[in-house]
Amino acid sequence: MLYQRYLPYVVLGLLFLPGFSLAEPAKKNCDSLFCYSSKDDFFQFESGTRLQLDRGVFINDSRTDFDNEWNVRRARLSSSAQIGEHLSIDFTYDFARDDRSAIRNAFIRYTSADNTRFTVGHFKEPFGMERLTSVQDLAFLERSLVSLLTPPRSLGVELHKHTHHWTAAAGMFTTGTESSSNDTKFGTSARVTFAPQSDAGRIVHFGLGIAHRNTDSQQEVRFRQRPETRNTDIRLIDTRTFIADSYTYLGIESAIARGPWALQAEYIYSHVGKARINQTDSGENIHFSGWHIDLTWIASGEPQPYNHEKGTFGRLRPAHSVQHGGWGAWRLGMRLSELDLTNHPITGGRQQNLTTGLTWVLNRNISLSSEYVKVLKVDGGEFTNASPAIFQSRLQIIY
């Protein structure tokens, strides 16, 4: 790919661009690569970039044959505009995506003075704490196994409201640019959260979500998942294509934080209506499910932040950045996750992973991450009894 040929030069440019990374920003109130504001502040425009460069090293067993890979996980260019006090526009394009449309966000949003907002376009659906957490704010390189049972970005409309202690959102959607074998002709999603404590370092969070899908005219679906890495396209658990009329996700989430310590857990149940191998079968209702538990510790002492608008954990910003003579922020994490894609007559397999990781946030622009992912077990499917391990690392540059 052309972008891969010039990637090293792009990385060097972003690292040493004046006003970027280890240098002081040109404008204290501008977190993006380029900012513009009219004299009366009626029109404001920002353009930013996000680059994630990954390396994966695999320890195979007798059941697997992974190849060590470099991967440009994300190479995004985003732009947003604020028009007056209430209207905003957002557009994000990912140059690292080859197999599907690279448009990520493309929406218009109206936000009232009481934090009620109406969004139309292409964006994330309201479901799941982990899913709604920005990738640049996650404690791990990839979302957990159970993230498969969450809806992707879609085309639709959403009504959302939030306060300091709760959020509520609901919307109607159809398949967007993130097309897959689970394309739908119609869907709805909704999520509510309640956080009686929501200050940084003192968080108690609960949430519920539901997402329903009617399948497209082909009525074919497929559920499969990578082993918490994007340095391979191999899936250890895979239902293969089967026929179903609909599927519904139900999610329960909770989180607690005290100072630099944080614990997060989610369980997602998926009900699949009239699953069958071929059209002649009458079909039966089946279910898949999964969960993850995350424990993180910010070793440099910063309190765990919270995002009140999203109802998720927030972005870790170092108290003492490298450019100020500090050591940045250091976060350690451990995650246990499981995904079960087996329910007769579908035998996609069940997988359980243990992930440990360390992230060094040098400043608000640059971070380095390393992880060890161990597949504890795979039951059923082509890779039954497989237990490979993965060492992976990431350089992330955001502006």
Side-chain angles (χ1 to χ4, degrees):
M1 297 297 293
L2 183 63
Y3 74 84
Q4 291 177 325
R5 181 185 306 173
Y6 295 102
L7 180 63
Y9 304 102
V10 173
V11 173
L12 288 174
L14 291 176
L15 286 172
F16 296 104
L17 183 68
F20 190 86
S21 68
L22 300 182
E24 288 289 346
K27 294 176 65 177
K28 294 291 185 179
N29 60 347
C30 178
D31 285 336
S32 300
L33 188 62
F34 173 79
C35 296
Y36 168 79
S37 180
S38 62
K39 290 183 179 180
D40 57 0
D41 287 334
F42 179 81
F43 178 79
Q44 301 176 52
F45 177 84
E46 295 186 9
S47 182
T49 185
R50 180 187 307 163
L51 176 65
Q52 294 176 337
L53 180 61
D54 291 5
R55 172 63 172 171
V57 177
F58 295 86
I59 303 175
N60 289 295
D61 60 12
S62 60
R63 303 288 297 166
T64 60
D65 187 25
F66 292 105
D67 293 324
N68 300 336
E69 296 286 350
W70 287 95
N71 179 38
V72 182
R73 180 65 176 92
R74 295 177 178 88
R76 294 182 182 175
L77 184 64
S78 60
S79 299
S80 63
Q82 181 71 36
I83 305 172
E85 296 182 0
H86 304 293
L87 188 64
S88 60
I89 302 173
D90 190 282
F91 182 82
T92 302
Y93 192 90
D94 194 339
F95 293 89
R97 297 173 67 87
D98 299 328
D99 57 336
R100 291 180 285 180
S101 172
I103 296 176
R104 305 297 283 163
N105 289 337
F107 62 80
I108 299 175
R109 172 173 292 163
Y110 177 85
T111 305
S112 67
D114 64 350
N115 291 326
T116 299
R117 71 187 192 200
F118 178 77
T119 307
V120 58
H122 192 264
F123 52 95
K124 284 184 180 181
E125 298 186 31
F127 187 94
M129 185 177 189
E130 182 186 50
R131 175 62 180 167
L132 291 176
T133 301
S134 171
V135 294
Q136 60 198 42
D137 302 335
L138 291 172
F140 301 92
L141 269 67
E142 299 294 338
R143 294 183 174 91
S144 64
L145 292 172
V146 73
S147 65
L148 174 71
L149 304 182
T150 61
R153 283 179 170 87
S154 302
L155 185 66
V157 296
E158 178 198 67
L159 183 64
H160 167 105
K161 181 175 175 59
H162 68 274
T163 69
H164 194 76
H165 294 291
W166 59 267
T167 71
M172 295 184 295
F173 302 90
T174 188
T175 299
T177 64
E178 294 187 10
S179 60
S180 69
S181 57
N182 292 357
D183 289 353
T184 59
K185 56 186 177 183
F186 174 76
T188 57
S189 294
R191 177 176 180 252
V192 293
T193 69
F194 175 57
Q197 297 178 354
S198 60
D199 296 324
R202 191 169 181 82
I203 299 166
V204 176
H205 167 102
F206 304 98
L208 295 172
I210 183 170
H212 176 76
R213 293 293 179 273
N214 289 329
T215 57
D216 66 7
S217 58
Q218 299 298 317
Q219 295 182 310
E220 293 184 345
V221 296
R222 183 178 186 180
F223 295 83
R224 56 179 181 164
Q225 181 64 299
R226 293 180 177 89
E228 295 181 348
T229 181
R230 282 300 184 98
N231 294 296
T232 182
D233 285 328
I234 296 175
R235 278 81 162 179
L236 298 180
I237 51 177
D238 185 350
T239 65
R240 307 295 180 181
T241 300
F242 64 97
I243 303 169
D245 290 350
S246 65
Y247 55 95
T248 302
Y249 302 135
L250 298 171
I252 302 173
E253 62 192 54
S254 63
I256 186 171
R258 288 294 180 267
W261 291 90
L263 184 67
Q264 178 182 349
E266 288 184 274
Y267 173 83
I268 300 177
Y269 172 92
S270 178
H271 174 88
V272 183
K274 293 188 177 180
R276 52 203 185 275
I277 303 301
N278 54 64
Q279 290 285 10
T280 61
D281 294 338
S282 59
E284 57 185 290
N285 297 332
I286 65 172
H287 71 270
F288 303 135
S289 63
W291 51 266
H292 72 95
I293 301 175
D294 307 354
L295 177 64
T296 59
W297 173 48
I298 304 174
S300 50
E302 289 87 348
Q304 172 64 52
Y306 188 76
N307 188 315
H308 298 92
E309 180 179 356
K310 293 182 178 180
T312 66
F313 284 148
R315 183 164 307 169
L316 174 58
R317 297 186 182 275
H320 305 285
S321 299
V322 171
Q323 71 263 31
H324 295 138
W327 286 95
W330 295 78
R331 176 165 56 193
L332 290 87
M334 178 178 293
R335 176 173 68 198
L336 185 64
S337 62
E338 181 177 287
L339 178 60
D340 188 352
L341 299 180
T342 294
N343 194 190
H344 183 76
I346 308 302
T347 56
R350 180 168 65 98
Q351 180 177 341
Q352 191 175 92
N353 278 13
L354 176 65
T355 301
T356 58
L358 172 65
T359 297
W360 179 25
V361 185
L362 285 75
N363 54 29
R364 65 182 184 177
N365 303 119
I366 300 176
S367 65
L368 296 169
S369 301
S370 294
E371 274 186 1
Y372 173 73
V373 182
K374 175 60 178 176
V375 178
L376 298 179
K377 61 181 178 181
V378 176
D379 296 330
E382 177 184 354
F383 292 94
T384 188
N385 297 323
S387 57
I390 308 156
F391 289 97
Q392 55 185 358
S393 57
R394 171 176 294 169
L395 166 65
Q396 176 175 268
I397 304 173
I398 55 176
Y399 206 89

CSV table of all heavy atoms in Angstrom, one decimal, residues 46 52 116 123-125 299 357:
chain,number,residue,atom,x,y,z
A,46,GLU,N,-11.7,22.1,13.9
A,46,GLU,CA,-10.6,21.4,14.3
A,46,GLU,C,-10.3,20.2,13.4
A,46,GLU,O,-11.3,19.6,12.9
A,46,GLU,CB,-10.7,20.9,15.8
A,46,GLU,CG,-10.8,21.9,16.8
A,46,GLU,CD,-10.9,21.4,18.2
A,46,GLU,OE1,-10.7,20.2,18.4
A,46,GLU,OE2,-11.1,22.1,19.2
A,52,GLN,N,-1.8,4.5,14.9
A,52,GLN,CA,-1.4,3.4,15.8
A,52,GLN,C,-0.6,2.3,15.0
A,52,GLN,O,-1.2,1.7,14.0
A,52,GLN,CB,-2.7,2.7,16.4
A,52,GLN,CG,-3.4,3.6,17.4
A,52,GLN,CD,-4.7,3.0,17.9
A,52,GLN,OE1,-5.3,2.1,17.2
A,52,GLN,NE2,-5.2,3.5,19.0
A,116,THR,N,-29.2,17.7,26.1
A,116,THR,CA,-30.0,16.8,25.2
A,116,THR,C,-29.5,17.0,23.8
A,116,THR,O,-29.4,18.1,23.3
A,116,THR,CB,-31.5,17.1,25.3
A,116,THR,OG1,-31.9,16.9,26.7
A,116,THR,CG2,-32.3,16.2,24.4
A,123,PHE,N,-22.3,6.7,13.1
A,123,PHE,CA,-21.6,6.9,14.4
A,123,PHE,C,-21.8,5.6,15.2
A,123,PHE,O,-22.5,4.7,14.8
A,123,PHE,CB,-22.2,8.1,15.1
A,123,PHE,CG,-23.7,8.1,15.3
A,123,PHE,CD1,-24.3,7.6,16.4
A,123,PHE,CD2,-24.5,8.6,14.2
A,123,PHE,CE1,-25.6,7.7,16.5
A,123,PHE,CE2,-25.8,8.6,14.4
A,123,PHE,CZ,-26.4,8.1,15.5
A,124,LYS,N,-21.2,5.6,16.4
A,124,LYS,CA,-21.4,4.5,17.3
A,124,LYS,C,-22.8,4.4,17.9
A,124,LYS,O,-23.3,5.4,18.3
A,124,LYS,CB,-20.4,4.6,18.5
A,124,LYS,CG,-19.0,4.2,18.1
A,124,LYS,CD,-18.1,4.3,19.4
A,124,LYS,CE,-16.6,3.9,19.1
A,124,LYS,NZ,-15.8,4.0,20.3
A,125,GLU,N,-23.3,3.2,18.0
A,125,GLU,CA,-24.6,3.0,18.6
A,125,GLU,C,-24.5,3.0,20.1
A,125,GLU,O,-23.4,2.6,20.6
A,125,GLU,CB,-25.2,1.7,18.1
A,125,GLU,CG,-25.5,1.6,16.6
A,125,GLU,CD,-26.2,0.4,16.2
A,125,GLU,OE1,-27.0,-0.1,17.0
A,125,GLU,OE2,-26.0,-0.1,15.1
A,299,ALA,N,0.0,3.4,38.0
A,299,ALA,CA,1.1,3.4,38.9
A,299,ALA,C,1.7,4.7,39.2
A,299,ALA,O,2.3,4.9,40.3
A,299,ALA,CB,2.2,2.4,38.4
A,357,GLY,N,-1.0,-6.1,30.6
A,357,GLY,CA,-0.4,-5.0,29.7
A,357,GLY,C,0.1,-3.9,30.5
A,357,GLY,O,-0.2,-3.7,31.7
